[in-house]
Amino acid sequence: MNEIRQPNLSQGKILSATVQVKPGGNAERVDASIAEGPTENPMFNSFLLEAVLERSNMQAALKRVKKNKGAAGIDGMTVEDLAPHLKIFWPEIREQLFAGTYKPSPVRRVEIPKPGSLDKRQLGIPTVLDRLIQQALAQVLQSKWDDTFSNSSFGFRPKRSAHQAVKQAQGYLCEGHVCVVDLDLEKFFDRVNHDRLMNSLAKEIEDKRVLKLLRAYLNAGILENGLCSVTDEGVPQGGPLSPLLSNIVLDEVDKELELRGHKFVRYADDLNIYVKSKRAGVRVMKSVSEFIAKRIKLKVNENKSAVAKPQERKFLGFSFTGGRNPNRRKIAPQAIKRFKDKVRHLTNRNHSIKFDVRCQRLSIYLRGWKAYFGFCETRSVLRDLDSWIRRRLRAVMWKQWKVYGRRKSELKKLGLREDLAQSTAWSSKGPWRLSNSLGLQMAFPKSFFVQKGIPLLESK
């Protein structure tokens, strides 16, 4: 056994590695020692694959894949099957990765509806084994590449969020940049140029084995309707590597915008540039679109892009107020519509499920929605939505009671006096109109739904 030492390579770099020399002089990697800390050379060394396959990194990747769950790939293997599979086959897979003979499986193509659109978003679902290897790659590459990205890029980056992106956009509005150039890249993930992407990666990554593996994932192909097609462009959405690779592609746009002195915010392929007038916005739209087409080889979707007031556009589900209290964060109308459609489905009066079960399902959705959209600054909208949700739940309960006798007795159990319980029970109004009546409001106050676990959207 011989030991090779590599001084001061990179953050999370390999400081030493044990190598076994085989007969004939070929070296096989056995173990690698990883060290944390700053370095003079921030980019990638020739032992990068060892850092990717290092035990603690692989364990972290396995934990993340299990946590994310997800559907099976083309081989049908589930996340639960992965650990037992690795116990048997990992030494062989690891040897193939070091030898450069590992071949990723094609991804399984699935389509999901785009929110607020009739279009479909195409996802590529890798096998769970490929998800594990991609996650291990992403963890190492992200930690080394992230510091080079623009401060105005927020998507798929550690310790950065959509809320931070919206807040930065709000800051530009308050500074007087009252016009937005909203750029939509047409089928971005499907049209990423592989050669340009690999050229960007090769400028920073010295380890040829990692480059070969990344190229193999880009060219793995797509299985759809029983046929496998080879891909020569695009980064399939659905794999752990796709977000990082998309940021690497669009970082060139970020750097150009910084060079031009623009105020901008980017979250994945959502790009907003803030200027002080519509005239400036039209000029910026034209020049940036030309840059993206010529340099990045991507196309701006003219139908979905626009130069407009920020109040007329949405960004990550949010918009901004105008009028007397301008530039406050509000929920975009499209997001409110999607919210109401979902709540209508969960509170459909024709669904025969127990009321407590219905409340439990609804509360799960509301808590997730509130965690994101509670960031808005228009509390009255949340208050109105709270009231609307309670009306729908009262209507559900009223319909479940069905007949006069039960309705009256149930209302009396909830504390209504005899005359109000009787007049409410005998009412000829439908469930929706009656849900706002005095009788049902007293029978089912706000506190009743809080006890059932329904969160108040308005509360902090």
Side-chain angles (χ1 to χ4, degrees):
M1 303 286 280
N2 298 324
E3 189 175 80
I4 296 175
R5 293 197 174 270
Q6 192 82 359
N8 275 343
L9 291 177
S10 68
Q11 232 178 22
K13 61 184 179 297
I14 298 170
L15 292 182
S16 66
T18 304
V19 178
Q20 182 180 5
V21 179
K22 292 182 175 180
N26 294 325
E28 177 188 11
R29 195 69 176 200
V30 175
D31 192 19
S33 174
I34 311 298
E36 300 293 338
T39 175
E40 295 178 2
N41 180 5
M43 284 306 164
F44 312 139
N45 57 76
S46 56
F47 293 120
L48 187 61
L49 186 59
E50 280 74 13
V52 171
L53 300 180
E54 192 266 335
R55 183 178 180 83
S56 62
N57 188 58
M58 293 303 302
Q59 288 175 335
L62 180 60
K63 185 176 180 180
R64 177 61 68 87
V65 170
K66 287 182 176 179
K67 182 180 180 181
N68 291 342
K69 299 180 180 180
I74 64 170
D75 60 357
M77 185 187 298
T78 64
V79 173
E80 291 74 19
D81 299 330
L82 181 57
H85 179 82
L86 293 174
K87 287 182 179 179
I88 301 172
F89 295 104
W90 178 244
E92 179 184 346
I93 296 167
R94 188 171 183 270
E95 186 175 340
Q96 291 175 3
L97 289 164
F98 279 128
T101 58
Y102 178 80
K103 292 185 178 180
S105 301
V107 299
R108 181 168 65 88
R109 171 61 57 83
V110 296
E111 292 184 341
I112 61 173
K114 286 186 176 181
S117 171
L118 297 177
D119 297 335
K120 299 284 187 178
R121 175 176 283 117
Q122 295 184 334
L123 298 182
I125 309 300
T127 63
V128 289
L129 175 59
D130 283 328
R131 290 213 291 274
L132 172 68
I133 298 171
Q134 284 193 36
Q135 180 63 40
L137 278 165
Q139 287 170 179
V140 173
L141 296 181
Q142 182 81 48
S143 67
K144 295 172 178 292
W145 219 299
D146 193 72
D147 288 343
T148 71
F149 289 146
S150 168
N151 285 331
S152 294
S153 167
F154 292 88
F156 310 120
R157 296 182 61 189
K159 299 181 181 179
R160 286 175 172 258
S161 67
H163 287 173
Q164 291 174 327
V166 173
K167 194 167 185 179
Q168 180 160 311
Q170 184 181 22
Y172 291 146
L173 299 183
C174 294
E175 291 173 2
H177 298 81
V178 293
C179 190
V180 62
V181 181
D182 187 355
L183 288 165
D184 181 271
L185 299 180
E186 189 172 292
K187 296 183 178 179
F188 167 70
F189 283 94
D190 297 330
R191 294 182 176 174
V192 170
N193 185 285
H194 285 182
D195 291 334
R196 284 191 57 82
L197 174 55
M198 289 306 303
N199 183 55
S200 297
L201 293 168
K203 289 178 180 178
E204 312 296 353
I205 298 175
E206 295 180 13
D207 195 328
K208 303 300 182 185
R209 299 165 301 174
V210 172
L211 291 172
K212 183 177 180 180
L213 184 57
L214 290 169
R215 172 69 83 168
Y217 274 117
L218 290 175
N219 295 338
I222 296 172
L223 185 68
E224 188 174 18
N225 299 325
L227 298 175
C228 183
S229 57
V230 178
T231 52
D232 55 6
E233 66 175 3
V235 179
Q237 287 180 270
L241 270 173
S242 300
L244 173 62
L245 296 181
S246 67
N247 272 336
I248 291 172
V249 170
L250 293 175
D251 187 57
E252 190 171 350
V253 178
D254 296 343
K255 294 297 191 290
E256 178 66 19
L257 294 177
E258 287 178 339
L259 191 64
R260 298 183 184 187
H262 288 309
K263 306 289 186 181
F264 72 97
V265 182
R266 183 176 66 80
Y267 192 97
D269 57 337
D270 287 331
L271 174 61
N272 279 6
I273 307 170
Y274 294 87
V275 295
K276 293 190 174 182
S277 68
K278 188 167 185 177
R279 181 178 179 182
V282 172
R283 184 176 66 252
V284 169
M285 170 75 83
K286 183 176 183 297
S287 63
V288 173
S289 298
E290 290 175 352
F291 173 83
I292 290 173
K294 292 178 181 178
R295 290 286 297 276
I296 314 299
K297 307 300 181 185
L298 295 171
K299 185 179 179 182
V300 172
N301 189 329
E302 295 181 359
N303 294 327
K304 295 183 178 180
S305 301
V307 178
K309 295 179 179 179
Q311 296 82 5
E312 299 170 359
R313 307 295 293 178
K314 67 178 178 69
F315 181 53
L316 303 177
F318 291 92
S319 186
F320 299 96
T321 60
R324 295 181 179 179
N325 297 304
N327 303 332
R328 291 191 301 158
R329 299 184 298 270
K330 71 174 185 178
I331 305 169
Q334 300 93 323
I336 292 179
K337 181 182 182 303
R338 289 196 298 271
F339 171 81
K340 286 192 168 184
D341 288 344
K342 180 66 174 181
V343 172
R344 285 190 183 101
H345 173 72
L346 292 171
T347 58
N348 190 320
R349 297 193 292 274
N350 294 323
H351 292 173
S352 298
I353 58 175
K354 292 183 178 179
F355 189 75
D356 286 348
V357 174
R358 189 190 298 269
C359 287
Q360 183 181 17
R361 294 177 182 176
L362 178 61
S363 67
I364 292 172
Y365 173 70
L366 293 180
R367 291 182 195 282
W369 190 88
K370 177 183 177 180
Y372 185 77
F373 286 103
F375 187 61
C376 76
E377 295 175 315
T378 49
R379 313 308 295 180
S380 61
V381 174
L382 299 180
R383 191 183 313 124
D384 291 343
L385 290 175
D386 278 329
S387 177
W388 177 76
I389 292 168
R390 290 194 291 272
R391 281 195 66 179
R392 290 199 61 85
L393 290 173
R394 291 187 193 112
V396 167
M397 185 62 80
W398 190 250
K399 186 173 182 180
Q400 286 184 349
W401 287 344
K402 293 184 179 179
V403 296
Y404 160 75
R406 183 182 177 188
R407 287 173 173 173
K408 181 179 177 180
S409 63
E410 293 288 352
L411 290 174
K412 290 177 68 177
K413 287 179 185 178
L414 292 169
L416 263 67
R417 62 180 187 271
E418 175 80 20
D419 59 334
L420 183 57
Q422 180 166 325
S423 63
T424 304
W426 274 107
S427 175
S428 61
K429 295 178 181 178
W432 177 246
R433 289 187 63 191
L434 202 58
S435 66
N436 205 34
S437 67
L438 176 62
L440 287 193
Q441 286 191 55
M442 291 179 64
F444 300 109
K446 184 188 299 185
S447 58
F448 173 86
F449 298 107
V450 171
Q451 290 176 356
K452 291 292 183 180
I454 303 298
L456 292 174
L457 302 180
E458 185 190 4
S459 65
K460 293 184 179 179

